[in-house]
Structure formats: structure tokens, C-alpha cells
Amino acid sequence: MSLEAARAADVLTQLSGETRLLALAELVRCGKNGASLGELSYRLDLPLPKVGDACARLVALGVAIGSGNGFYRARLEGLREAAAAVERSQPIAGLLADYPQLRGNFSHGRLTSMPPTLSDRYEVLGELLSRFLALDGLYDEDEINKRLAEVTDDVAAVRRMLVDTGWLERDRAGTTYGPGRSRL
């Protein structure tokens, strides 16, 4: 895991703390004016030291800004940065940059929808996934499934699509797969 991805994971893990998440949500509700620790403590019905600790952690995570005099504001760019770091750490992210027409079919490095079969994107998706698999020989179905599971939940449908579009060849028994047509 890259340092950037580890940092993003830490941000998301730290936000799983109930008080931190409640404090951030309240700061978001307060908008650009933010709120003082006293106001947050009152609104959240939590002790001041607990709210102060939560806000200090939010600042350290980069999702809040403290003014130094007890006023805090949400900094949602920190969350966007963490989400972008997670997305960049996904195994298909580098290849997906070459296929901007497929961005709508992916979310955070995962295939979330298949293009319609008559769409040009259906064929292009096959090429992208073929490049991702980077097959250089014959593989059993379990290995193909394992590799595809890194980018999709519906492994069977994607594997079938790759065979249908010719990017993946299957033996007659349906147990061994190899590279299909070559990419230009």
C-alpha cells in the first residue's frame, strides 16, 4: 500500500469514531462560519474536552480548520483528497486513464455497470480489462476469477463478456483461459 493510500485509509478510519464524525457533520452544518468548541459541545450534548479532542483530530486529519481561538470549520477538500487517493490506489486506475469514455462505469476503481452490448464502450471495456488481466499464457478459471475480483463484484458476467468479445479465449471444457485477440 502506498503512503498516500495509507494516509487516506487513516483518515477514513479516524472518521469512524462517533464523536469525530458527529463533530465533522455539525461543522459542515455550520457552514463557512464554523463553530466554537462551546457551541459544538452544546449542540452535540457532549463534554467540552471530548469535543475539543475530536476537533483537534479532525484538524490533524485535514478535514477541519482551527482558528487557534477555539473556532473550527469543516474542510471537505480533505475528504475529497482521501477519496481520490483511495481511487488512485486501485489496481485499474492507471489503465482507466486511457479510457475516459468508461469512467462512468467505474466507481473508486470498481466496475459498477456494464455498457450496453450494442455500445462501442462494450468493446472498449473488453480491451481495458484484457490489458488489466495482462495474460501471457493459460490460466485456470480460479486465477481469472481472482484477478477480475480486484475490479468487479460480478466476476462471471465480466469473464463471459471478455469471452464474447474475443479478448479472452476459453478451451472447450471451459476450465482454461488464455489471451484472445491482440491489442493494437
Side-chain angles (χ1 to χ4, degrees):
M1 179 183 290
S2 72
L3 183 60
E4 182 182 46
R7 169 94 173 105
D10 184 47
V11 168
L12 299 174
T13 300
Q14 291 288 331
L15 285 177
S16 68
E18 182 181 9
T19 303
R20 288 184 289 276
L21 193 55
L22 288 171
L24 180 61
E26 190 59 36
L27 288 173
V28 168
R29 274 193 286 278
C30 291
K32 64 180 180 175
N33 294 328
S36 69
L37 284 177
E39 291 170 326
L40 288 172
S41 177
Y42 177 77
R43 290 177 183 173
L44 298 174
D45 193 27
L46 293 170
L48 189 64
K50 193 170 187 174
V51 173
D53 179 62
C55 286
R57 288 179 186 250
L58 293 174
V59 169
L61 292 171
V63 296
I65 299 169
S67 65
N69 60 358
F71 273 85
Y72 293 87
R73 286 178 291 144
R75 182 183 171 274
L76 295 181
E77 297 83 26
L79 286 177
R80 287 185 201 95
E81 291 162 3
V86 168
E87 190 160 335
R88 283 190 299 275
S89 73
Q90 297 303 314
I92 202 160
L95 293 173
L96 194 54
D98 295 336
Y99 299 87
Q101 68 272 40
L102 295 175
R103 285 224 174 261
N105 299 97
F106 285 83
S107 177
H108 305 296
R110 305 281 301 165
L111 180 65
T112 56
S113 66
M114 299 276 279
T117 56
L118 296 176
S119 165
D120 293 339
R121 289 178 297 158
Y122 190 75
E123 187 73 22
V124 175
L125 178 61
E127 180 181 338
L128 167 66
L129 294 172
S130 171
R131 284 182 60 196
F132 171 74
L133 289 174
L135 301 179
D136 57 359
L138 299 177
Y139 298 86
D140 65 10
E141 188 172 298
D142 287 341
E143 179 62 23
I144 299 295
N145 290 347
K146 181 177 140 192
R147 290 181 182 200
L148 288 174
E150 292 181 45
V151 296
T152 184
D153 294 329
D154 196 351
V155 171
V158 171
R159 190 183 62 241
R160 197 170 17 247
M161 182 269 304
L162 288 168
V163 170
D164 290 347
T165 56
W167 290 106
L168 189 62
E169 288 190 4
R170 178 177 50 208
D171 70 354
R172 286 182 160 290
T175 58
T176 306
Y177 295 83
R181 60 184 172 181
S182 61
R183 294 176 299 277
L184 299 176

